[in-house]
Amino acid sequence: MKSKKRFLTALTVAVSLTVMAGCSNSGTNQPSSTDTGSAAASGSTSFNLWLGWTATTNNDSLVQKYWREKEPGVDVKLETTQGDAMTALNLKINTGGFEDAAIFGRNETVKSAMNRSKQLMSLEQYFDMPDKYPGLASIPKQYLELMKDADGHIWSIPTWFDQNPDDPWPGWASQGWTVRTDVLESVGMTTADLATIEGVEAFLKKAAEQKDASGKSLLPLSFLMDTNDTLSWSDENAILTAYGVTTGGRGVEQRGDDFVFAYDDPNFKAAYEWMNKMYLAKLIDPEVVTNKKEQYNEKNKSGRVALNAGSFWNIPTSTWETLDGPTEPGWFYEVVPFPKVQGVEKVGINQVVNPNPGYDVYISSNTKNLEAILKFFDYTLQPKPEQQHVINEGPVGLYWNWVDQPLGKWQFTDEAYKTSRNSGDAAQKAKVTPELYMAASYSNEWYPWWNTADGGKAGAAKTIQFTEAIGKMGSIRVAEPYDLIEMKAGGLWEKYSPEIENIRKEYRAKLLMAKDSGQFETEWTKFQEALEKRGHWSEVKQEWLASYNEQVKAGK
C-alpha cells in the first residue's frame, strides 16, 4: 500500500482520546516512581495474565514452557474470561480487581471501566527506558501520544499495532469479485472481458445458459445477504465498491471539503438499481435474499455459481483449499478487478486499515509482579517482522524454521507440535501454544500466514493469492482521522445506529426484488423516509460532524 506519512500526524490532531474526567486518579494506590522501581527490583518471574475473551488454556503449553525456562524467563499463567467480557470485567472490578495484568481488545467501554475502577498503575515512564526495556521503548511514539490522558499518564501497554505506521500491513482483504474461470472458458470469454460492468452483464447472460455437472442451470451471479452483516461488512459492498461508494469504516468519505456518507452517495442508489436489473433478468440467484449461509456455501461447493460478489471467505475458502488440482469446480475460482462503471472515477473503499493498537494490557496497582509483566511485554514487543510468529509458535528453530531464508517461506519442523497445532481440537492446540499473537505487534515486511510452506493442499495457496490481489485493487486505504472519531457515549450515533442498520437490511431486499423501476423508486423513497423518521439520519450526521469539528479543534 502507498505510504501515507501524514496519517498519524493528522490523527494526533483530529482524534482526542483523552480518558474520562477523573481518570488521572485511576491508580489511587499506585506506587510512586521510587516505589515502582523497588517493586521491579523484587525479582518476580511469574505473573497472572487475564484474557478478555473466552479461550481454552493450558498453562503448561510448550510455548509457555519456553517462556518460563528460556526466554524471557517469565512464567505467564493465563486466566480466561467466561461468558460476556464486559459482565466479567465489571464483576472482577467489583470484587477487588484482577491480580496482575489483563489484556483486552481495544474498546472505549473497557477503557472507561478500567479507568473508573481506580485499580490501575500508570505506565508512561516505562516507555522511555530504552536501556532496560528496549521493546517498550520501540513502540511508535504516535501511538503513545494518543493514549495520554490530560495529565500525561498512560494507563495501558498497547499491543497488536503496526510496527511501521507509515506503511501498514493491509490485512486480509477479501471483498471483491470471484469468477469461475472454467465457466468463462466455456462461454468463450476471459477475465479481461469482465473489466467493465457491461462485460460482466454479457458474461452473466452467457453463464445463465450453462449447466452444472448434474444438469441444472448455473446461477450467473450470487452473494450472501447475511442477517448478521453490517454496512462495513456485507457482500453487496463489492458491488457498491465498483460504483465508487465507500462502505469501509463508518461509511464516510471525504471529498474535497465535504464528507459523503454512503447512504447519501447517488451511486448507492445506482448500485442497487443495477442489482435490481440483474435480479429481474434472472441473472442473480432467485434465492439470494433468503439463502442461509449453509445453502450459499453448498451452491458454491457443488459448482452452481458462475460469479460471486462479496467476501471470498463466504464462498467458503475450503471450496478450493481442499484441492490439489482441477478436480472440482472450486479449483477454478479467481478474483478479478472491480468492473469499471461509466462515470465512476475510482472505486469506493470497503476496508479501512487501522495501524493503531488493537489490544491494551492493563496492570493492577496492587500487583507484586511488575518486573515479570514488564519483562514479558518488553520481549513480546520487540520490533522484529517475525515477532508475532515467535510469540505464537516459539522462536525460529524450535518448532518451526525458515525453508530458504529469513523472512521467506517457513514450515513446522517438529511433527508432534505440528500435529497438535493443526489438529482442529482446541485442547490439543492449547497443549502447544496459547496463541497469544496479540501480545506482539506486526509488520507489512513479513506476514507468517502468507508465507507458510505448510499449506497442505495446493489449493491453499489460492487464498493468499486472492487476498494479496484484492489488496492492490484500490478498495483499501489507511484510516484517516475522520474514520476514528470517538462518538460520545449515549449520543445519537450510539442510540440510532442499530435502527439504521435494521433499515438498511430491510430495504436492501425490497430494492433488490422490486418488480419494476416504478416500484424501485417507491421503495427508494420509503428507504430515505425511514432513515429520517426511524433513524434520525440528519441528526446523526450532524452529531458526527460536530464531534469531528470538536476533536479537530481540541487538537489544535
Side-chain angles (χ1 to χ4, degrees):
M1 292 184 62
K2 186 179 179 180
S3 176
K4 300 185 81 174
K5 294 183 180 296
R6 60 188 175 83
F7 164 63
L8 280 161
T9 301
L11 182 58
T12 303
V13 173
V15 182
S16 171
L17 292 180
T18 303
V19 294
M20 299 176 64
C23 286
S24 60
N25 295 318
S26 291
T28 53
N29 297 317
Q30 68 186 36
S32 64
S33 297
T34 303
D35 292 336
T36 52
S38 176
S42 66
S44 60
T45 59
S46 174
F47 75 96
N48 179 283
L49 180 60
W50 183 39
L51 307 180
W53 57 88
T54 300
T56 300
T57 58
N58 179 334
N59 281 316
D60 200 32
S61 72
L62 294 179
V63 170
Q64 285 168 279
K65 184 178 180 181
Y66 175 84
W67 294 340
R68 181 172 66 243
E69 298 178 357
K70 301 292 185 180
E71 188 180 22
V74 177
D75 184 11
V76 184
K77 300 175 181 177
L78 303 178
E79 175 189 351
T80 186
T81 298
Q82 299 299 325
D84 178 68
M86 282 310 304
T87 300
L89 175 58
N90 289 325
L91 178 62
K92 183 81 76 172
I93 287 172
N94 292 329
T95 54
F98 52 91
E99 183 179 347
D100 292 314
I103 181 170
F104 274 75
R106 177 157 287 193
N107 179 292
E108 285 300 306
T109 305
V110 170
K111 185 176 75 172
S112 296
M114 286 286 193
N115 280 281
R116 286 198 309 271
S117 75
K118 301 182 187 292
Q119 296 170 356
L120 302 182
M121 181 180 293
S122 63
L123 306 171
E124 61 276 357
Q125 61 182 311
Y126 302 113
F127 302 119
D128 196 25
M129 301 171 67
D131 292 339
K132 187 168 186 179
Y133 302 117
L136 298 180
S138 73
I139 299 172
K141 295 297 184 281
Q142 300 99 315
Y143 302 150
L144 297 173
E145 284 299 315
L146 289 171
M147 294 172 65
K148 289 181 178 179
D149 71 4
D151 296 322
H153 293 306
I154 297 175
W155 299 100
S156 65
I157 298 173
T159 66
W160 200 239
F161 51 80
D162 201 298
Q163 296 170 11
N164 306 295
D166 291 334
D167 185 22
W169 177 62
W172 284 90
S174 70
Q175 293 193 37
W177 295 63
T178 310
V179 69
R180 287 254 309 278
T181 55
D182 58 330
V183 179
L184 267 174
E185 183 178 354
S186 69
V187 300
M189 298 177 74
T190 68
T191 54
D193 294 318
L194 305 180
T196 66
I197 201 72
E198 290 80 11
V200 168
E201 290 182 24
F203 169 66
L204 296 181
K205 291 174 182 176
K206 292 184 178 182
E209 300 171 355
Q210 303 298 305
K211 307 287 185 182
D212 68 7
S214 66
K216 295 179 180 178
S217 296
L218 289 187
L219 302 169
L221 173 63
S222 192
F223 44 88
L224 180 64
M225 299 181 76
D226 194 329
T227 56
N228 296 314
D229 67 20
T230 63
L231 172 66
S232 63
W233 183 260
S234 77
D235 273 5
E236 299 108 289
N237 285 0
I239 299 170
L240 289 162
T241 299
Y243 275 79
V245 180
T246 286
T247 55
R250 287 197 171 102
V252 184
E253 185 74 12
Q254 186 168 18
R255 297 178 185 171
D257 295 329
D258 298 322
F259 292 102
V260 178
F261 292 76
Y263 301 131
D264 299 335
D265 189 324
N267 278 343
F268 186 94
K269 179 183 180 182
Y272 275 93
E273 283 181 310
W274 183 81
M275 286 183 250
N276 175 241
K277 174 185 172 184
M278 295 299 100
Y279 185 80
L280 293 176
K282 302 187 185 307
L283 298 178
I284 289 180
D285 180 356
E287 298 177 320
V288 68
V289 173
T290 57
N291 273 335
K292 302 297 183 186
K293 192 165 188 175
E294 294 74 18
Q295 293 173 292
Y296 179 74
N297 290 351
E298 181 53 35
K299 287 178 180 179
N300 278 284
K301 280 182 173 291
S302 64
R304 293 288 315 281
V305 183
L307 176 66
N308 294 80
S311 172
F312 61 66
W313 295 117
N314 287 334
I315 290 177
T317 58
S318 58
T319 304
W320 52 80
E321 287 184 344
T322 55
L323 306 177
D324 261 328
T327 55
E328 299 288 342
W331 180 264
F332 298 97
Y333 278 103
E334 182 177 326
V335 296
V336 293
F338 296 95
K340 177 70 177 174
V341 176
Q342 188 174 2
V344 176
E345 294 183 6
K346 61 179 181 178
V347 300
I349 301 299
N350 62 36
Q351 185 170 319
V352 171
V353 177
N354 182 3
N356 285 272
Y359 288 78
D360 287 285
V361 176
Y362 300 93
I363 300 179
S364 169
S365 57
N366 294 319
T367 183
K368 294 180 175 59
N369 301 304
L370 178 61
E371 180 185 13
I373 299 169
L374 295 175
K375 186 177 182 180
F376 178 70
F377 286 100
D378 183 67
Y379 168 68
T380 70
L381 293 173
Q382 293 180 55
K384 301 175 182 178
E386 71 274 23
Q387 193 65 5
Q388 64 156 303
H389 201 51
V390 169
I391 300 305
N392 219 52
E393 314 295 349
V396 61
L398 185 57
Y399 302 118
W400 65 277
N401 212 331
W402 306 114
V403 171
D404 44 13
Q405 60 184 348
L407 304 187
K409 294 290 184 181
W410 68 274
Q411 63 184 3
F412 286 117
T413 53
D414 185 300
E415 284 302 317
Y417 183 98
K418 177 182 177 180
T419 298
S420 294
R421 175 70 173 83
N422 296 335
S423 67
D425 182 283
Q428 286 296 315
K429 184 185 292 186
K431 287 182 179 180
V432 295
T433 175
E435 289 194 288
L436 208 61
Y437 65 87
M438 67 289 293
S441 54
Y442 56 91
S443 170
N444 199 16
E445 189 174 347
W446 188 76
Y447 183 72
W449 303 107
W450 288 2
N451 290 282
T452 177
D454 275 322
K457 301 289 187 178
K462 289 179 173 288
T463 302
I464 309 304
Q465 295 165 4
F466 291 175
T467 195
E468 288 187 302
I470 293 174
K472 299 173 183 177
M473 291 180 183
S475 62
I476 301 173
R477 63 164 167 73
V478 177
E480 295 285 357
Y482 59 82
D483 294 308
L484 304 173
I485 292 300
E486 294 298 328
M487 303 307 295
K488 58 186 178 182
L492 297 174
W493 189 283
E494 181 180 294
K495 182 178 180 180
Y496 292 113
S497 286
E499 183 60 16
I500 291 172
E501 263 302 319
N502 290 337
I503 294 167
R504 180 188 71 85
K505 290 174 182 175
E506 175 185 343
Y507 280 93
R508 68 176 178 177
K510 292 180 178 179
L511 292 170
L512 178 72
M513 297 190 299
K515 62 182 181 182
D516 53 37
S517 59
Q519 187 179 32
F520 182 93
E521 287 298 329
T522 298
E523 295 299 343
W524 177 259
T525 299
K526 290 180 179 179
F527 172 52
Q528 298 296 303
E529 291 173 348
L531 283 174
E532 283 298 329
K533 292 179 181 179
R534 291 161 48 193
H536 297 257
W537 184 229
S538 293
E539 298 169 55
V540 167
K541 290 186 293 182
Q542 288 171 3
E543 181 188 72
W544 182 91
L545 187 58
S547 296
Y548 172 79
N549 289 330
E550 286 171 10
Q551 290 174 43
V552 168
K553 185 177 181 180
K556 290 183 178 180

